[in-house]
C-alpha cells in the first residue's frame, strides 16, 4: 500500500488523467476482482503513516505537515496567508453559507490578540447556520427534494422533517457513526426515538417513480430497493455499486451477486408516512379539518352545480366512443359484476371521466367568469388548509417481504439465483452477520458500515469534509473510491484524517475546526504562474481554491446584505412565486389557476434557500442558472459553469432588483443623519465585510451624486461584484 501511496502523491490533474492512472493497475487488479482479499488501497483499513510529521514555522496542524511534504516533493512552497478581511469572509461563507455581519467583522478585525481567529471559528461552529450549511451539502449527496420526481412529481407532505433532522444533527455535532446508523436503521436500532425514525427518510430522499392507474407492482418494488442500495453505495461507501446491477463490476471487485446481496438488506423495507402525532394533536387536526371543510363546501357545491350539465355532455360523448366490452360491463349493475366486469367498468370510468379542458370550451363566457371567481375564492381558502398531523416520512418493515434474486441483465423479469443479505466480499463481514428474516437486516448493515474496521466509511466522510472546506477533495470524486475514481492526492493524509475522525468521536465539527485552523486553509487564493505551471489543478494545495458561490449562497448573501433575510430555522418548505413563462412551460395542459399556490406569509419568502420548495421538475431559474443539482442523481461536488444567464440573473432578475432596492433603503435608514461617506462605508461593510479603499470611496461618492436612482444602482453594482459572488 505504501508503494501505491507514493506513486499517487501528485494526484490527477484532470478526470481523464485520473482514469488513465486508474487503468494502469487495472490489469493486475482484474485478476483479483473475485478475490475477497483484493489489495486495492481503498479496500484496506487506513494505516498510520510511518514517517515523522514535518515541523516548520508554517505547519500548525498535522494537515500542514502532509501538505508541506507534498509541496516539497515538487519543489513548491505554500502561498502567503490570506488577508484578515478575506479570511473572515472565507470562513464565514464556508461554515455558515452567509457573509459575516458587520458586527462579526468589527469584532474580529479589531481584535489583535492571540487566538482571535480561533474564537471566530468557534463562534461559527456554534451558530445554528452551521447546520444549515452542512445540510445543503448532505442533501445534495442523498438527492433530497420535496417531491417524488418523474411525470407526476407528487409532493411529500412530511419530507421536510428529514431536512430538519439533518440540520439538527450537524448543529448538535451528532457523532457521524450515530448519524449513519439512525439513517440506515433508526427504527430498528432506536425504537421509540422519533428523531431516529425521521432519519430513515434517508432511504426515500431520492426520486421515486409513482404513477396512477395500472402499474407493474413487482417492477415498482424493484425500483424502490434499487434506489435504497444506490443511496447507501454512493453516499456512505463512496462506491459505484450500481455498476454491478446488470453484470459483475468491470473495474471494482464487486460481483453482481454482491450487488443483490446489498439490495437484500432492503428487501423487507417499505417507504411510508408513519404517524407520530399524539391523540391531542390528532383530535385538534380533525376539528380544524371539519371547520375548513364547512367553509369550503358551499363553494365546492356551487362549482359542481355549474359544471354538472357540461360535464354530463362530455361524459355522454365519450361514452359513445367506448369499445363494446366496456359498454357491456357498465350495463351490468354494480352489485352483479364479476371480477372481469369490475375491472372493465373501472377502466371505462377512467376513460370517460370529464376533465376541465373538455368542460370549459362548452361554457358560455359569463358562466366561465362566474366559475373562475368561485375558484379563486376556493383557492384563497385552500391556502389556509390545516396542516396534517405530524408524521415521519420514514420506513418500516414489511410483514411478508418478497425474496431477493440475482436479476439477469438487471431485468426484474429474469430471475436468477435467490440471495440473502450479505456484505460485499471484497470488504468482508467484519465480524457481523446479516439476518435473513424481516427484522434486523438494516440494523446489521448500519453496524457494519460504522465498524472501526470498515475501510471506507470514515475515509469517504473525511474526504467530503475536506472537499467542502478546501474546494477540492483528496479524492477527486467523493462518490467513487473505486479504480475509476483515481488515486488520492495525499493518501497518507487521507488515512491520518480517517483514523483521527473515527478515533475522536466521529465529530464533524472537530474535523472542520482542524481544517479551517490549518495554514493550508488560510493561504491566499492568488495564482502564481510558476507554481501553476507545475501543478495547474492545485492538487497539492499550494494555494486556496477560489470558487464561485452556489446559487443558494448568492441568494442568501444578497438577503443578508439587504437586511431582509429571515433567519428562522426549520418548517415546511416555502413556495415562492415563479415567472409566468416558467409556469406556462410547466403547466401547459393544466388549468391555469392554483397549480403553484404561493406561500401566503410574505415574510417566509425571505427564508434561506435551504427552506424553499425543492421540486424535482420545477427548479427556480435563479438557482438553476448557478448550477443547482437536479436531485435525480447524487451530487458529490457542485459544478461551476460560466455563462451569460448568470450575469443576466445578477443584473436583471426580479430578485436581485428587489434586493438592490432593499439594500438602498437600508443604507438610507442607517445613514439618515450622515452623508454619502457613511453610505459608502456601510455598503461595503454589508456586502464585502470590509471598508472601501480610498479610490473606491472617491469613485462611489462621485457616482452617488449623479442622480436620485444612483443609490439603487450602486447597491446593485455591489451585489454584482466579483468579490461578492466568489469565495475569496
Amino acid at each position: 500500500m505504501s508503494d501505491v501511496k507514493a506513486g499517487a502523491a501528485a494526484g490527477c490533474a484532470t478526470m481523464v488523467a485520473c482514469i488513465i492512472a486508474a487503468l494502469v493497475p487495472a490489469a493486475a487488479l482484474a485478476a483479483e476482482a473475485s478475490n475477497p482479499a483484493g489489495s486495492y488501497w481503498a479496500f484496506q483499513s487506513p494505516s498510520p503513516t510511518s514517517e515523522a510529521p514535518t515541523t516548520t514555522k508554517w505547519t500548525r496542524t498535522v494537515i500542514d505537515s502532509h501538505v508541506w511534504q507534498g509541496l516539497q516533493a515538487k519543489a513548491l512552497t505554500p502561498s502567503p496567508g490570506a488577508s484578515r478581511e478575506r479570511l473572515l469572509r472565507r470562513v464565514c461563507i464556508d461554515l455558515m453559507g452567509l457573509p459575516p455581519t458587520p458586527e462579526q467583522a468589527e469584532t474580529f478585525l479589531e481584535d489583535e490578540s492571540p487566538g482571535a481567529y480561533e474564537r471566530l471559528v468557534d463562534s461559527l461552529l456554534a451558530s445554528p447556520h452551521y447546520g444549515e450549511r452542512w445540510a445543503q451539502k448532505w442533501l445534495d449527496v442523498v438527492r433530497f427534494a420535496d417531491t417524488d420526481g418523474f411525470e407526476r412529481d407528487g409532493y411529500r407532505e412530511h419530507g421536510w422533517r428529514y431536512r430538519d433532522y439533518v440540520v439538527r444533527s450537524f448543529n448538535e455535532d451528532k457523532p457521524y457513526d450515530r448519524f449513519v446508523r439512525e439513517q440506515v436503521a433508526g427504527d430498528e436500532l432506536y425504537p421509540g426515538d422519533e428523531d431516529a425514525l425521521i432519519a430513515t427518510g434517508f432511504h426515500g430522499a431520492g426520486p421515486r417513480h409513482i404513477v396512477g392507474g395500472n402499474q407493474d407492482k413487482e417492477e415498482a418494488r424493484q425500483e424502490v430497493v434499487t434506489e435504497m442500495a444506490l443511496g447507501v453505495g454512493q453516499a456512505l461507501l463512496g462506491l459505484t455499486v450500481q455498476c454491478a446491477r446488470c453484470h459483475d463490476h468491470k473495474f471494482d471487485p464487486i460481483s453482481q451477486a454482491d450487488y443483490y446481496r446489498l439490495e437484500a438488506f432492503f428487501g423487507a423495507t417499505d417507504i411510508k408516512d408513519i404517524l407520530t402525532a399524539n391523540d391531542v394533536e390528532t383530535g385538534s387536526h380533525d376539528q380544524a379539518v371539519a371547520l375548513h371543510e364547512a367553509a369550503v363546501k358551499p363553494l365546492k357545491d356551487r362549482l359542481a352545480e355549474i359544471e354538472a350539465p357540461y360535464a354530463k355532455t362530455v361524459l355522454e360523448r365519450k361514452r359513445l366512443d367506448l369499445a363494446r366490452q366496456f359498454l357491456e360491463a357498465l350495463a351490468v349493475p354494480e352489485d352483479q359484476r364479476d371480477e372481469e366486469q369490475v375491472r372493465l367498468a373501472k377502466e371505462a370510468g377512467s376513460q370517460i371521466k370529464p376533465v376541465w379542458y373538455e368542460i370549459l370550451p362548452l361554457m358560455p363566457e359569463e358562466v366561465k367568469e362566474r366559475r373562475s371567481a368561485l375558484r379563486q375564492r376556493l383557492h384563497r381558502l385552500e391556502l389556509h388548509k390545516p396542516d396534517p398531523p405530524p408524521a415521519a416520512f420514514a420506513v418500516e418493515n414489511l410483514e411478508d417481504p418478497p425474496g431477493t434474486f440475482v436479476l439477469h441483465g438487471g431485468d426484474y423479469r429474469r430471475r436468477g439465483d435467490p440471495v440473502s443479505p450479505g456484505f460485499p466480499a471484497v470488504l468482508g463481514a467484519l465480524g457481523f452477520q446479516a439476518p435473513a428474516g424481516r427484522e434486523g437486516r438494516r440494523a446489521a448493515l448500519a453496524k457494519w458500515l460504522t465498524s472501526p474496521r470498515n475501510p471506507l466509511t470514515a475515509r469517504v466522510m473525511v474526504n467530503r469534509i475536506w472537499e467542502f472546506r478546501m474546494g477540492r477533495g483528496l479524492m477527486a470524486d467523493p462518490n467513487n473510491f473505486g479504480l475509476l475514481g483515481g488515486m488520492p492526492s495525499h493518501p497518507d493524509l487521507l488515512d491520518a484524517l480517517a483514523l483521527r475522525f473515527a478515533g475522536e468521536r466521529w465529530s464533524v465539527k472537530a474535523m472542520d475546526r482542524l481544517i479551517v485552523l490549518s495554514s493550508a486553509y488560510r493561504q491566499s487564493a492568488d495564482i502564481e504562474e510558476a507554481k501553476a505551471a507545475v501543478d495547474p489543478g492545485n492538487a497539492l494545495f499550494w494555494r486556496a481554491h477560489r470558487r464561485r458561490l452556489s446559487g443558494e449562497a448568492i441568494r442568501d448573501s444578497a438577503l443578508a446584505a439587504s437586511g431582509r433575510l429571515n433567519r428562522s430555522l426549520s418548517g415546511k418548505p416555502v413556495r415562492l412565486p415563479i415567472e409566468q413563462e416558467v409556469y406556462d412551460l410547466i403547466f401547459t395542459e393544466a388549468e391555469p389557476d392554483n397549480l403553484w399556490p404561493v406561500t401566503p406569509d410574505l415574510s417566509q419568502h425571505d427564508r434561506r434557500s435551504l427552506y424553499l420548495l425543492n421540486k424535482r421538475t420545477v427548479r427556480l431559474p435563479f438557482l438553476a442558472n448557478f448550477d443547482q443539482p437536479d436531485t435525480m442523481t447524487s451530487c458529490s461536488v457542485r459544478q461551476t459553469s460560466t455563462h451569460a444567464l448568470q450575469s443576466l440573473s445578477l443584473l436583471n432578475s426580479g430578485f436581485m432588483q428587489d434586493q438592490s432596492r432593499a439594500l438602498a433603503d437600508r443604507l438610507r435608514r442607517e445613514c439618515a443623519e450622515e452623508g454619502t461617506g457613511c453610505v459608502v462605508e456601510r455598503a461595503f461593510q454589508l456586502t464585502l465585510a470590509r471598508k472601501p479603499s480610498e479610490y473606491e470611496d472617491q469613485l462611489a461618492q462621485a457616482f452617488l451624486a449623479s442622480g436620485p436612482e444612483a443609490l439603487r444602482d450602486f447597491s446593485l453594482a455591489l451585489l454584482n461584484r466579483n468579490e461578492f459572488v466568489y469565495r475569496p
Side-chain angles (χ1 to χ4, degrees):
M1 182 173 174
S2 58
D3 292 338
V4 174
K5 288 182 176 181
C12 305
T14 66
M15 180 56 70
V16 172
C18 285
I19 292 175
I20 293 173
L23 289 176
V24 171
L29 287 166
E32 301 178 70
S34 61
N35 179 4
S39 61
Y40 190 58
W41 70 272
F43 306 126
Q44 308 303 310
S45 297
S47 59
T49 178
S50 58
E51 300 177 15
T54 302
T55 302
T56 70
K57 291 182 179 180
W58 185 77
T59 56
R60 288 185 170 99
T61 70
V62 64
I63 288 171
D64 301 324
S65 297
H66 287 278
V67 171
W68 178 270
Q69 290 172 359
L71 293 173
Q72 290 294 293
K74 291 293 183 179
L76 294 174
T77 57
S79 294
S83 67
R84 283 171 64 86
E85 290 84 357
R86 289 190 175 186
L87 185 59
L88 166 69
R89 182 170 167 79
R90 178 190 299 172
V91 75
C92 285
I93 288 172
D94 280 352
L95 294 183
M96 297 194 304
L98 293 170
T101 64
E103 294 73 25
Q104 284 175 317
E106 181 179 8
T107 299
F108 174 65
L109 295 176
E110 293 184 359
D111 185 356
E112 300 290 343
S113 64
Y117 179 64
E118 287 78 1
R119 287 190 290 276
L120 170 67
V121 168
D122 288 340
S123 70
L124 298 177
L125 293 172
S127 166
H129 299 309
Y130 170 84
E132 292 176 321
R133 173 68 168 159
W134 249 115
Q136 189 74 71
K137 175 70 172 178
W138 186 257
L139 298 181
D140 279 0
V141 174
V142 302
R143 305 169 296 157
F144 172 85
D146 295 297
T147 60
D148 294 320
F150 300 99
E151 62 272 19
R152 186 177 178 186
D153 202 19
Y155 175 60
R156 295 172 173 177
E157 196 77 54
H158 303 282
W160 59 270
R161 299 183 196 277
Y162 173 75
R163 175 247 290 156
D164 284 357
Y165 158 81
V166 174
V167 174
R168 286 194 305 274
S169 295
F170 282 110
N171 274 335
E172 296 167 0
D173 197 21
K174 181 174 291 181
Y176 181 70
D177 60 339
R178 169 80 184 217
F179 183 59
V180 168
R181 289 197 297 270
E182 287 181 346
Q183 292 178 93
V184 174
D187 56 323
E188 293 186 337
L189 292 172
Y190 312 105
D193 185 331
E194 185 176 325
D195 226 32
L197 177 64
I198 292 171
T200 62
F202 164 81
H203 294 299
R208 191 178 181 196
H209 198 180
I210 299 177
V211 297
N214 295 329
Q215 60 177 313
D216 189 319
K217 293 183 179 180
E218 188 176 352
E219 180 182 22
R221 175 63 191 165
Q222 182 58 40
E223 286 185 5
V224 169
V225 294
T226 297
E227 291 294 334
M228 291 181 183
L230 176 64
V232 167
Q234 289 186 321
L236 305 180
L237 289 173
L239 293 176
T240 56
V241 295
Q242 69 275 15
C243 293
R245 182 181 175 191
C246 303
H247 48 69
D248 290 350
H249 203 293
K250 295 297 185 182
F251 297 97
D252 298 338
I254 301 173
S255 68
Q256 191 181 20
D258 276 335
Y259 172 78
Y260 285 101
R261 281 193 285 266
L262 179 61
E263 271 200 4
F265 281 106
F266 311 106
T269 304
D270 193 25
I271 300 169
K272 66 178 297 183
D273 288 339
I274 299 174
L275 191 69
T276 59
N278 56 38
D279 292 342
V280 173
E281 290 171 322
T282 303
S284 298
H285 172 260
D286 292 344
Q287 292 177 5
V289 168
L291 291 172
H292 175 76
E293 289 298 325
V296 301
K297 187 177 185 304
L299 292 174
K300 289 183 176 180
D301 290 345
R302 289 171 65 185
L303 282 167
E305 184 180 345
I306 289 173
E307 295 172 355
Y310 308 102
K312 182 178 180 182
T313 299
V314 171
L315 187 145
E316 290 173 349
R317 288 177 180 176
K318 296 174 77 172
R319 188 182 181 110
L320 294 175
D321 295 329
L322 283 175
R324 187 179 67 182
Q325 67 268 29
F326 293 117
L327 290 171
E328 291 174 350
L330 289 174
V332 178
E334 286 190 34
D335 59 349
Q336 298 178 23
R337 293 171 185 165
D338 59 27
E339 185 176 343
E340 177 65 11
Q341 289 169 335
V342 168
R343 185 188 67 80
L344 289 170
K346 182 179 179 180
E347 188 174 337
S350 66
Q351 291 183 35
I352 65 176
K353 181 180 179 181
V355 290
W356 73 271
Y357 53 80
E358 297 169 326
I359 296 172
L360 276 186
L362 303 180
M363 291 182 177
E365 285 301 319
E366 65 273 13
V367 176
K368 288 182 184 177
E369 291 175 4
R370 280 194 290 125
R371 177 181 179 274
S372 178
L374 286 170
R375 284 180 62 83
Q376 292 300 327
R377 289 174 58 189
L378 178 62
H379 298 333
R380 285 193 291 271
L381 288 174
E382 291 288 6
L383 286 176
H384 301 282
K385 182 179 180 180
D387 291 334
F393 177 68
V395 299
E396 69 175 6
N397 289 326
L398 297 167
E399 288 293 334
D400 185 22
T404 302
F405 301 84
V406 173
L407 303 180
H408 298 300
D411 188 341
Y412 73 99
R413 293 163 297 193
R414 299 172 60 201
R415 288 183 175 180
D417 295 333
V419 294
S420 298
F423 308 106
V426 70
L427 298 174
L430 308 181
F432 295 94
Q433 184 174 358
R438 63 182 289 268
E439 299 287 347
R441 296 188 190 184
R442 286 178 289 106
L445 177 62
K447 292 175 182 177
W448 176 82
L449 284 165
T450 55
S451 166
R453 297 173 59 196
N454 190 304
L456 286 171
T457 306
R459 276 190 182 123
V460 169
M461 186 56 182
V462 158
N463 189 61
R464 292 197 196 283
I465 300 170
W466 180 273
E467 181 275 325
F468 200 27
R469 303 313 178 197
M470 299 296 288
R472 176 194 174 102
L474 297 170
M475 283 289 290
D477 183 353
N479 275 7
N480 189 358
F481 274 58
L483 271 73
L484 290 189
M487 295 296 295
S489 59
H490 298 72
D492 289 323
L493 174 57
L494 179 61
D495 276 6
L497 293 179
L499 290 168
R500 182 169 184 149
F501 183 50
E504 296 185 1
R505 236 189 104 258
W506 298 80
S507 170
V508 174
K509 282 190 178 182
M511 192 57 55
D512 266 334
R513 191 176 193 276
L514 180 70
I515 293 172
V516 301
L517 291 183
S518 69
S519 294
Y521 176 86
R522 301 193 212 186
Q523 294 177 96
S524 165
D526 296 340
I527 297 176
E528 299 178 44
E529 291 185 7
K531 294 178 182 177
V534 177
D535 180 19
N538 194 27
L540 298 175
F541 301 99
W542 53 267
R543 64 177 176 88
H545 279 270
R546 189 169 181 272
R547 58 188 188 270
R548 198 205 66 225
L549 303 185
S550 67
E552 292 90 339
I554 294 172
R555 179 182 175 276
D556 296 349
S557 295
L559 285 166
S562 72
R564 283 179 44 179
L565 180 64
N566 181 341
R567 294 175 181 258
S568 56
L569 306 177
S570 75
K572 291 173 57 180
V574 177
R575 199 186 295 251
L576 297 181
I578 58 174
E579 290 83 350
Q580 188 62 43
E581 296 86 352
V582 177
Y583 186 99
D584 293 340
L585 179 66
I586 298 164
F587 302 118
T588 51
E589 295 186 0
E591 193 163 3
D593 57 359
N594 202 43
L595 297 171
W596 188 264
V598 174
T599 299
D601 183 354
L602 297 183
S603 69
Q604 294 292 302
H605 294 193
D606 295 330
R607 297 283 301 279
R608 290 198 69 172
S609 303
L610 176 70
Y611 300 109
L612 303 184
L613 180 77
N614 193 352
K615 186 174 175 66
R616 294 186 203 270
T617 57
V618 186
R619 290 191 292 156
L620 298 177
F622 186 89
L623 301 182
N625 287 343
F626 289 97
D627 306 301
Q628 182 190 37
D630 64 8
T631 69
M632 296 299 286
T633 56
S634 174
C635 175
S636 59
V637 180
R638 287 279 183 112
Q639 299 302 309
T640 304
S641 64
T642 303
H643 52 80
L645 286 178
Q646 294 167 350
S647 296
L648 293 172
S649 295
L650 290 171
L651 277 172
N652 301 325
S653 68
F655 170 76
M656 292 300 284
Q657 291 286 330
D658 286 346
Q659 299 317 306
S660 65
R661 283 189 287 269
L663 177 55
D665 291 342
R666 180 179 185 180
L667 293 170
R668 289 191 191 96
R669 288 193 310 271
E670 297 183 2
C671 293
E673 305 299 324
E674 304 180 52
T676 54
C678 169
V679 170
V680 174
E681 182 171 328
R682 187 64 172 166
F684 272 76
Q685 288 174 335
L686 291 172
T687 56
L688 306 178
R690 66 173 177 85
K691 293 182 179 181
S693 68
E694 183 178 348
Y695 175 72
E696 288 171 328
D697 184 57
Q698 292 173 356
L699 200 65
Q701 291 204 48
F703 180 78
L704 290 174
S706 64
E709 294 297 318
L711 181 55
R712 186 185 68 82
D713 292 340
F714 172 63
S715 299
L716 182 61
L718 284 176
L719 296 178
N720 272 260
R721 282 195 61 155
N722 182 284
E723 188 178 348
F724 181 79
V725 177
Y726 276 76
R727 167 196 183 270

